[in-house]
Amino acid sequence: MSRTAEGPQPADLAAELARRPTAIAALVTLRNRAAATVGDLGGVDEESREALRADLCWLAATGLLRREPYGSWDVIAATGAYRLSTMGYALADALNALAEGCRHLAGAPAIQRRNPMP
């Protein structure tokens, strides 16, 4: 099986996510909702929309995200619904578990997921 078919390698994914805070924010938002629009994900001004567009494209290319309706990723679909894939939910849950562990170690209260995975 090719590396592409297997999906991103964990170390590569972690390194790239570390450079993409907008992607992490999108994963967190989508983990807590069934779907979200660009506006829900934070694309409010031109600069943030461009960073968000690039990160949404990257998330989709790695198999972590999908968009409905389907179409070109060259243009942000302002009314499109972005959703996590099964792998995206798994990653978002792992990131949440890590954040919960850090909060626990720091003595902060836990944050619960609002909407379970559909």
Side-chain angles (χ1 to χ4, degrees):
M1 186 179 280
S2 75
R3 186 174 184 167
T4 302
E6 295 170 2
Q9 298 300 304
D12 296 337
L13 184 61
E16 189 63 28
L17 275 172
R19 292 186 288 269
R20 295 180 177 266
T22 306
I24 294 171
L27 286 169
V28 169
T29 299
L30 289 167
R31 180 184 178 274
N32 293 324
R33 314 172 149 225
T37 65
V38 169
D40 296 333
L41 295 172
V44 293
D45 61 31
E46 189 60 37
E47 186 177 331
S48 65
R49 269 193 304 270
E50 183 56 33
L52 179 59
R53 184 195 71 73
D55 286 353
L56 291 174
C57 287
W58 177 77
L59 288 168
T62 59
L64 299 170
L65 178 81
R66 61 184 190 271
R67 182 181 73 198
E68 299 161 357
Y70 304 105
S72 172
W73 281 84
D74 293 334
V75 177
I76 287 185
T79 60
Y82 295 86
R83 301 174 191 277
L84 292 177
S85 66
T86 301
M87 188 168 64
Y89 272 109
L91 176 60
D93 284 342
L95 290 172
N96 184 66
L98 178 61
E100 287 299 321
C102 291
R103 279 193 276 284
H104 175 74
L105 290 173
I111 297 174
Q112 297 296 317
R113 178 189 220 174
R114 290 184 284 187
N115 295 331
M117 185 173 126

